[in-house]
Amino acid sequence: MRIAGAVRLGMSAVVLAAASACVSSEDPRPPVDAAGALPAYEAPGGTPAFCHRLASLEELGRLPVSIGTLAAGTDVEARTQVTSAARELLAVLSDVRTEGGHDGLATALEGLVGALGEVGNGPLTDPVRGAVTAGLAQVGTQAQPACGFPT
């Protein structure tokens, strides 16, 4: 998935920012303002309903800051935010399953929710950060064909 750096490009930019923040705590990223970035996305005609929900996830937009905070140490608020992002993604997963026909996206969402659960349950190790990064990338890759997010 090719992703431009500007936040205004929607879900793709949020996924990139979140993935980038998960890779290295030595390269802090500025907070992503999901509320300002994602309303610009309008689902093309015929896209599944879950696309709009996925694009509007507020907690997902906060994930880069929370992961960065956790990489620097323990923070209860950051762990709570990660748990909230996982809950939002579970709602999208439910929509994806209801829609049917998007097994790759469902699997990717399950993997990302699982990785975020690991973040909430223990220390933020390199393997856990890697799982979150891979999960975000996979969700973006799987969602792109169905949702037509800007690239």
Side-chain angles (χ1 to χ4, degrees), residues 20-78:
S20 297
C22 295
V23 173
S24 171
S25 62
E26 298 172 7
D27 185 16
R29 304 285 181 199
V32 174
D33 180 7
L38 301 178
Y41 169 78
E42 291 185 31
T47 58
F50 64 78
C51 294
H52 180 71
R53 181 181 282 213
L54 183 59
S56 66
L57 297 180
E58 290 185 28
E59 296 300 327
L60 188 64
R62 294 182 184 109
L63 195 57
V65 173
S66 296
I67 295 290
T69 299
L70 289 170
T74 302
D75 183 276
V76 173
E77 184 177 335

Side-chain angles (χ1 to χ4, degrees), residues 89-103:
L89 288 165
L90 282 172
V92 173
L93 177 57
S94 176
D95 290 351
V96 169
R97 287 181 176 147
T98 298
E99 174 81 23
H102 302 280
D103 295 337

